[in-house]
Amino acid sequence: MDKILVLAATGKTGRRVTSRLRAQGRRVRGASRSGEVRFDWTDPGTWERTVDGAQAAYVVAPDDPGPVKSFVDLATASGVRRLVLLSGRGLDHAAPDFAQGMAAAEQAVQASGAEWTILRPNQFNQNFDEDLWHAPLRSGRLALPIGETPEPFIDVEDVAATATATLTQDGHAGRLYELSGPESLTFGEAVETMARAAGRPIEYVQLTPEAYRAELLAEGASKETADALNAMFALHRAGHTTEPTDDVRQIIGRPPTTFEDYTVRTAASGTWSL
Ligand SMILES: NC(=O)c1ccc[n+]([C@@H]2O[C@H](COP(=O)([O-])OP(=O)(O)OC[C@H]3O[C@@H](n4cnc5c(N)ncnc54)[C@H](OP(=O)(O)O)[C@@H]3O)[C@@H](O)[C@H]2O)c1
């Protein structure tokens, strides 16, 4: 059976892609700086062993656009015939200095000569319990510069299911999919849903971009991180990513998980308890 390489295998999507592929009995090589196989975008010396013998690869782009093309060239020269890239919804409307790694990765896989599929998801549900918004939620206050713009949040399990399908099934070559959850919610509604499931109050505060930036810097974020997060919210506020799509159902044959189901599942695991 083909060997499949999963980059960012310790991350939110990669570890789920890895376990789904293994559950199907596939041979998988999970790679990242701290993964089973050491792979570092900043250290080309780690690349050859990572791609050796792989026929397909799940690629999560680095922030820095620099190394992507060389890596994709090496992977295809080494025999990788299928590339599935995790990108982000709305990329075509992003500011030129935002998400440059993703843009470079999209170009590199499209020019690779391999079968490529690009997955552009909306904001992940799991940002609320495994990533950026987790600590604010636990403290009982989430403050963001997104206003009333709705977001069709997607569950990372659904991203992983679509990645697994596109890595292992034919019929997805040359396709660019926009992956969303089944419904759009404002961040205020999302927080309300979580507070209900958790059985305790969680405050949602709307900030201006300037106030958000000031809060991030006061919390110790770097200027680059504050700028990148503000650019991401500017992209969402522009309204290009607000509508649910049907792509998850088209790929995996079932509708995506609702936000309500996610919150019930996550609240039951005690994630937001103080
Ligand atoms: N969060 C969202 O809502 C959202 C929505 C759409 C798209 N995305 C995109 O999803 C991507 C992130 O994917 P994710 O959420 O699955 O990952 P993640 O949870 O953010 O984890 C980052 C992964 O990248 C690996 N990594 C970091 N630096 C690396 C380096 N220098 N070399 C090799 N590996 C490195 C980390 O592993 P090690 O630390 O072991 O190296 C880890 O596995 C980003 O491109 C983001 O823009 C996110």
Side-chain angles (χ1 to χ4, degrees), residues 28-242:
V28 181
R29 177 180 295 148
S32 75
R33 293 168 306 181
S34 63
E36 295 160 15
V37 169
R38 196 174 98 73
F39 168 77
D40 189 338
W41 282 109
T42 67
D43 179 3
T46 63
W47 297 0
E48 202 166 321
R49 190 166 157 252
T50 301
V51 296
D52 184 40
Q55 282 87 36
Y58 175 69
V59 179
V60 176
D63 293 339
D64 173 6
V68 183
K69 184 174 180 312
S70 308
F71 174 77
V72 167
D73 287 347
L74 178 73
T76 50
S78 150
V80 172
R81 301 186 311 259
R82 181 173 285 177
L83 293 161
V84 174
L85 172 69
L86 180 69
S87 181
R89 191 135 179 235
L91 185 69
D92 296 334
H93 304 280
D97 56 350
F98 175 60
Q100 290 178 335
M102 258 182 211
E106 287 204 358
Q107 284 166 18
V109 301
Q110 286 174 313
S112 66
E115 287 182 16
W116 59 266
T117 307
I118 293 173
L119 306 176
R120 287 182 171 180
N122 273 92
Q123 286 264 316
F124 299 160
N125 290 347
Q126 279 73 8
N127 292 342
F128 292 106
D129 68 309
E130 296 180 19
D131 209 321
L132 285 173
W133 326 133
H134 186 206
L137 282 172
R138 278 177 66 94
S139 78
R141 174 185 179 273
L142 180 65
L144 299 173
I146 186 64
E148 296 296 325
T149 310
E151 176 73 23
F153 297 100
I154 182 164
D155 202 283
V156 172
E157 290 294 347
D158 294 332
V159 177
T162 58
T164 302
T166 52
L167 281 164
T168 57
Q169 296 165 11
D170 292 334
H172 302 290
R175 300 290 304 270
L176 193 159
Y177 292 111
E178 303 214 306
L179 306 178
S180 82
E183 72 217 319
S184 299
L185 286 87
T186 64
F187 270 79
E189 288 167 338
V191 169
E192 240 176 72
T193 310
M194 281 182 281
R196 213 168 36 243
R200 68 183 182 85
I202 307 175
E203 185 188 14
Y204 174 67
V205 179
Q206 293 198 25
L207 296 179
T208 62
E210 296 71 28
Y212 180 56
R213 191 168 191 282
E215 283 204 2
L216 287 172
L217 295 176
E219 286 161 9
S222 68
K223 185 181 162 307
E224 290 72 27
T225 300
D227 289 344
L229 284 170
N230 254 324
M232 180 187 80
F233 280 112
L235 176 64
H236 288 302
R237 281 196 309 272
H240 302 295
T241 60
T242 57

